[in-house]
Amino acid sequence: MEILVTGSAGFIGFHLAKRLIEEGISFIGIDNLNNYYDNKLKKSRLSELDNSHNKNKKHYEFHEGDLNDRNFLEGIFHKYNPEIVVNLAAQAGVRYSIENPQTYINSNLVGFHNLIECCRNNSVKNFIYASSSSVYGGNINFPFSEDDSVNHPVSLYAATKKSNELIAHSYSHLFQIPTTGIRFFTVYGPWGRPDMAPFIFTKAIKNRNPIKVFNYGDIYRDFTYIDDVIDVLFKLLFLPAKRDLTFNKNEPKQSSSWAPYRILNIGNNKSISILEFISMLEKEIGIKADIQLEPMQPGDVYKTCADTRTVDNLIKNRCKTNLKEGLKQFIQWYNSYYRS
Ligand SMILES: NC(=O)c1ccc[n+]([C@@H]2O[C@H](COP(=O)([O-])OP(=O)(O)OC[C@H]3O[C@@H](n4cnc5c(N)ncnc54)[C@H](O)[C@@H]3O)[C@@H](O)[C@H]2O)c1
């Protein structure tokens, strides 16, 4: 059974691809290798995949291409006929969406729609796609449950992710495509994204540059270690969404449906203050941070915390790496990759 992973040069896509290679499972990876952040890092991830693949000869191919290019996507589906599709390609980042809205429309709406159309035309049996904890917007019911209302996004990025969930539902209903939308909560770890806090803070601390901390330090995140995310994603490949037989249209749940559709949080159910997070980084790196307290940024949310009961019930004894251990792994990778 062929698997297609989009965004396979990206942080999460790369780790899923690596796991598939390690498990000896055939798949195709695609990515447009855009310059949103350091392109060299994306290319290094691809080289790392090639190295792992050389040791394990199952079928793996990478194709550079864009979700916006319908002909490219149709060619991939025609050639490989994937039955499982994992969409991790997207324009990520909350703050960037304020200055560059069109990129989000192109990749996250037009690109997403091109992909799900290909899934429809090729009778894909399991479509998994990245949503985000950002869809919870101004929600102040902690922890965030998949059944909370998410109709008040505070960034265009969040609005595109919520739109993906709505589009997915219509395709699950009309064409019986099993769809699973994953709301990731601040994923971190080796090969992580240079535009995210763990990376930005680490780089600044090591270079002895000041760190900007928004909302005057009163900001909280539920950090999720990459291996824990991949553990769930890998298992979901073989657990497509099913119809919810208990679904009641008079009291509709948000996270499931009469159609084969579901929404899952992947987080840790532990929210920690950014200042505490920085203090853990300082200890791991062995250098004191120079913290500059700043007002809240437009588009940002004050606190995230995942209600993880749905994923915990679905996947028993899933891995939950503690933050201290996860940061240790991240810093070790950072030191060896940047030889610092
Ligand atoms: N990392 C997190 O903490 C986090 C949190 C919430 C949601 N997400 C979502 O998870 C998914 C993966 O995130 P990530 O952290 O790996 O991001 P990433 O930016 O590292 O990876 C995304 C990859 O997709 C590629 N891409 C972007 N637009 C494309 C297009 N139009 N066609 C083909 N390729 C394209 C990029 O080149 C990149 O390599 C994204 O949808 C992101 O919004 C991530």
Side-chain angles (χ1 to χ4, degrees):
M1 189 171 339
E2 202 68 85
I3 300 176
L4 173 65
V5 178
T6 75
S8 63
F11 173 37
I12 302 177
F14 155 78
H15 280 279
L16 179 62
K18 197 157 187 314
R19 175 74 183 266
L20 289 171
I21 291 172
E22 284 160 10
E23 298 278 347
I25 295 176
S26 304
F27 71 102
I28 308 300
I30 64 174
D31 199 296
N32 69 359
L33 299 179
N34 67 38
N35 288 314
Y36 166 59
Y37 60 76
D38 181 16
N39 196 267
K40 272 194 248 145
L41 179 59
K42 294 183 183 178
K43 292 195 170 141
S44 302
R45 292 181 184 133
L46 290 179
S47 308
E48 176 76 11
L49 292 181
D50 284 340
N51 291 341
S52 308
H53 177 236
N54 288 339
K55 292 183 211 139
N56 184 331
K57 294 290 175 201
K58 282 276 175 173
H59 180 219
Y60 156 63
E61 271 179 50
F62 173 75
H63 293 267
E64 183 174 345
D66 200 304
L67 296 187
N68 284 294
D69 181 348
R70 186 71 170 264
N71 287 337
F72 163 74
L73 276 186
E74 283 174 356
I76 293 283
F77 275 78
H78 182 71
K79 185 162 177 203
Y80 300 104
N81 206 11
E83 292 187 7
I84 301 174
V85 174
V86 187
N87 183 33
L88 298 166
Q91 180 56 56
V94 168
R95 288 173 200 152
Y96 191 72
S97 69
I98 294 170
E99 304 304 328
N100 300 277
Q102 191 62 45
T103 326
Y104 290 75
I105 301 302
N106 296 346
S107 291
N108 303 6
L109 295 183
V110 180
F112 182 88
H113 179 253
N114 282 340
L115 186 66
I116 202 168
E117 259 297 287
C118 288
C119 292
R120 165 196 176 181
N121 295 332
N122 290 272
S123 306
V124 160
K125 306 217 167 25
N126 187 4
F127 178 58
I128 300 169
Y129 61 95
S131 182
S132 167
S133 61
S134 301
V135 299
Y136 290 105
N139 190 354
I140 50 163
N141 294 324
F142 301 109
F144 295 158
S145 155
E146 296 95 337
D147 283 311
D148 290 345
S149 150
V150 289
N151 291 319
H152 299 90
V154 297
S155 67
L156 178 67
Y157 169 66
T160 63
K161 292 294 183 182
K162 164 73 178 170
S163 308
N164 289 170
E165 296 178 358
L166 294 172
I167 294 168
H169 187 271
S170 69
Y171 274 67
S172 294
H173 166 67
L174 289 170
F175 312 114
Q176 288 72 52
I177 302 173
T179 65
T180 302
I182 312 276
R183 293 179 181 163
F184 294 117
F185 282 69
T186 320
V187 187
Y188 74 100
W191 300 93
R193 265 176 39 205
D195 61 321
M196 291 184 65
F199 199 112
I200 294 173
F201 293 167
T202 299
K203 188 173 172 190
I205 294 174
K206 282 179 158 286
N207 294 338
R208 292 178 161 76
N209 289 331
I211 294 179
K212 285 185 185 166
V213 178
F214 300 109
N215 209 27
Y216 304 103
D218 189 20
I219 204 155
Y220 298 77
R221 288 291 177 270
D222 190 347
F223 289 94
T224 323
Y225 188 61
I226 184 68
D227 288 1
D228 303 350
V229 166
I230 298 304
D231 182 50
V232 175
L233 269 183
F234 182 76
K235 288 175 178 147
L236 288 176
L237 295 174
F238 312 102
L239 288 172
K242 293 195 181 118
R243 299 163 194 285
D244 179 353
L245 300 176
T246 65
F247 189 83
N248 178 354
K249 285 189 179 175
N250 291 317
E251 286 174 39
K253 281 175 79 177
Q254 307 291 313
S255 58
S256 66
S257 167
W258 64 87
Y261 163 92
R262 90 183 140 205
I263 298 295
L264 277 184
N265 284 342
I266 301 187
N268 255 331
N269 190 235
K270 282 197 186 76
S271 197
I272 83 149
S273 116
I274 287 295
L275 293 175
E276 195 183 331
F277 179 80
I278 294 172
S279 136
M280 290 174 78
L281 268 183
E282 289 176 328
K283 284 192 191 110
E284 200 51 53
I285 299 171
I287 303 175
K288 194 104 191 86
D290 171 7
I291 295 171
Q292 280 184 359
L293 300 175
E294 304 263 337
M296 189 72 160
Q297 292 269 291
D300 256 3
V301 299
Y302 149 70
K303 177 173 172 177
T304 65
C305 184
D307 180 334
T308 56
R309 283 174 296 175
T310 316
V311 68
D312 291 338
N313 283 333
L314 189 69
I315 292 164
K316 301 288 176 216
N317 303 319
R318 71 184 175 98
C319 306
K320 288 180 190 165
T321 304
N322 72 49
L323 189 53
K324 190 171 184 311
E325 177 56 29
L327 284 181
K328 191 172 158 202
Q329 297 297 328
F330 171 65
I331 299 296
Q332 265 175 16
W333 167 79
Y334 187 99
N335 288 342
S336 86
Y337 184 76
Y338 291 101
R339 293 195 184 87
S340 61

